[in-house]
Amino acid sequence: MSDLETALRNTLSKGDASDPAFRQRVYRSAMTAMERALADHPDPDRRSRQRQRLMDAIRATEAHHRRQRTQPEASGRDEPPAVSVRPEPRRRPAPRPQSETPQLRAEPRMERASSGPSFPEIGGEDRGTGQRSRARRAPFALMLTAVVAVALLGSGAWWVFSTGAFQSTEERDTSVPNPPLELENESFPGSRDNASSAGPARIAARSEAESGWVTLFDPADPTTVTLEGNASAAIDSDPFGDFARMVSPTVQDVIGIDVPPGTLEMLAGKTAQFSFVARADDDAETQMSVTCELADLGECGRRRFDVIASDNEFLFSVDLPGGVGVSGPGRLKIVTDISGAGRAVKISSVRVRELKP
């Protein structure tokens, strides 16, 4: 088991590791922390190797949790068999064999001695009581030993991960020390891009992100995606979840996301906020553009966003006119690489909601 996998399992043990959503947040936080730590490295091969090591650790950790869900749970602990302790009975000496020669008659004296009061053997009942006491104390001693061992293992894993022991020898020997990576629970403040200039927006807080959204695209239902020219889209998944890998070979090859007429009617006369959750493909950072054709409600201009290797939520808002009838659906048009190099992006979701003041 690698140091990264040990650190991931230690972090998952602090929460509900059986919840896939919790595990995904831990994986994403690990990727974001590594991106911050590797931002100053000029060597792209070294960054790629470190990312690949983290992805391998994530896959191994996720496979471990999936195997645990398939294994039947133990029906219960086996109880130790009851042990009865009895004092051994006193044995009378066997009679001596008769012989032809006269024998001394010592039998009556032996019978008289045996007919007297018999005393219990020393340590008989007391020894049984001591054994039962030690048997009662044994589970507590085992529990204490197990707790101490788990605490020592957890402390060792935290030390290995916090000191950056998983890094290669070259990285540890550089003149500028690398800060240790830290896994943190996902809690990013939301931001909104109201201007035409682009920039990655952090994933919004859960209470804000889950209110009033209408899903326009989800990998489970790709029927809302349309393709123009040589554009392509394929549904796939990785340890972070499902996504659509979209590619625009040129700026004329466009990927469309449909906006239903009912959604446009609901947003007419209001401020609509659009959300894209996306990341770059194979560490090939790119700049994608998004334009709007919202039927009778007009257009929104072109927005550009810098897409990096980790998931980010890209937000922008549009003021829609009121008192206008909607005669058909609208569409969001995506170009994954405005430079025309054909780089791909992985899009996890596209949503819209009314942005209230």
Side-chain angles (χ1 to χ4, degrees):
M1 183 185 303
S2 65
D3 299 333
L4 279 174
E5 185 179 349
T6 301
L8 288 171
R9 291 191 184 184
N10 184 44
T11 303
L12 290 172
S13 67
K14 298 178 182 178
D16 186 6
S18 62
D19 183 6
F22 171 73
R23 296 200 302 272
Q24 186 178 98
R25 290 197 298 273
V26 172
Y27 298 154
R28 288 179 176 172
S29 297
M31 179 65 75
T32 301
M34 175 167 284
E35 289 300 327
R36 289 198 301 266
L38 297 178
D40 296 333
H41 282 286
D43 187 359
D45 293 337
R46 184 176 299 172
R47 295 199 302 268
S48 180
R49 288 196 302 269
Q50 287 297 85
R51 293 189 185 103
Q52 186 61 42
R53 291 186 65 195
L54 178 57
M55 292 297 295
D56 292 342
I58 290 174
R59 291 190 181 98
T61 303
E62 185 65 18
H64 169 74
H65 284 282
R66 290 179 180 176
R67 286 195 303 269
Q68 282 188 336
R69 291 200 303 269
T70 60
Q71 292 177 354
E73 297 182 355
S75 60
R77 297 177 59 184
D78 295 334
E79 293 294 335
V83 180
S84 59
V85 180
R86 298 181 179 177
E88 296 181 357
R90 298 175 59 89
R91 296 182 179 180
R92 299 181 60 183
R96 299 181 180 179
Q98 296 181 358
S99 60
E100 295 179 357
T101 58
Q103 300 290 333
L104 294 177
R105 299 182 59 84
E107 288 82 355
R109 184 176 302 174
M110 294 177 61
E111 290 180 358
R112 284 195 301 271
S114 62
S115 63
S118 61
F119 297 95
E121 294 183 359
I122 298 176
E125 189 66 27
D126 294 340
R127 183 168 59 253
T129 304
Q131 292 176 351
R132 288 195 295 271
S133 300
R134 287 193 295 273
R136 286 195 298 268
R137 291 196 298 268
F140 297 101
L142 291 176
M143 290 175 60
L144 179 59
T145 303
V147 169
V148 172
V150 170
L152 291 175
L153 289 175
S155 300
W158 174 85
W159 179 85
V160 169
F161 188 76
S162 62
T163 55
F166 62 89
Q167 296 177 344
S168 63
T169 305
E170 293 80 4
E171 291 173 335
R172 289 198 297 269
D173 291 340
T174 55
S175 58
V176 179
N178 297 313
L181 300 180
E182 295 183 359
L183 293 177
E184 301 175 352
N185 290 332
E186 182 177 281
S187 178
F188 302 113
S191 62
R192 186 174 74 252
D193 183 11
N194 292 323
S196 59
S197 61
R202 295 299 183 187
I203 296 178
R206 179 175 296 272
S207 59
E208 176 186 352
E210 299 300 330
S211 59
W213 288 107
V214 176
T215 301
L216 302 179
F217 166 74
D218 185 272
D221 182 18
T223 57
T224 58
V225 178
T226 59
L227 305 175
E228 294 182 6
N230 294 323
S232 64
I235 304 300
D236 203 347
S237 64
D238 60 14
F240 297 114
D242 298 334
F243 59 87
R245 185 180 184 273
M246 300 182 178
V247 183
S248 301
T250 66
V251 293
Q252 287 78 28
D253 303 319
V254 176
I255 301 166
I257 304 294
D258 295 336
V259 183
T263 302
L264 294 177
E265 292 177 354
M266 178 188 69
L267 297 173
K270 303 173 183 177
T271 299
Q273 184 182 44
F274 292 91
S275 163
F276 286 76
V277 177
R279 64 182 181 274
D281 181 50
D282 295 333
D283 299 335
E285 298 180 4
T286 183
Q287 190 175 65
M288 74 174 183
S289 67
V290 179
T291 57
C292 307
E293 293 179 356
L294 303 179
D296 303 286
L297 300 182
E299 301 179 352
C300 65
R302 186 174 76 159
R303 312 297 176 104
R304 295 183 300 175
F305 302 97
D306 295 321
V307 186
I308 61 176
S310 58
D311 268 338
N312 280 287
E313 184 174 30
F314 304 97
L315 302 171
F316 66 92
S317 59
V318 183
D319 293 327
L320 302 179
V324 179
V326 178
S327 59
R331 190 167 65 154
L332 302 177
K333 302 172 69 174
I334 304 170
V335 175
T336 61
D337 185 3
I338 63 176
S339 68
R343 296 185 180 91
V345 296
K346 297 177 179 179
I347 297 182
S348 302
S349 71
V350 180
R351 304 181 295 177
V352 66
R353 69 174 176 180
E354 176 190 353
L355 182 61
K356 298 181 181 178

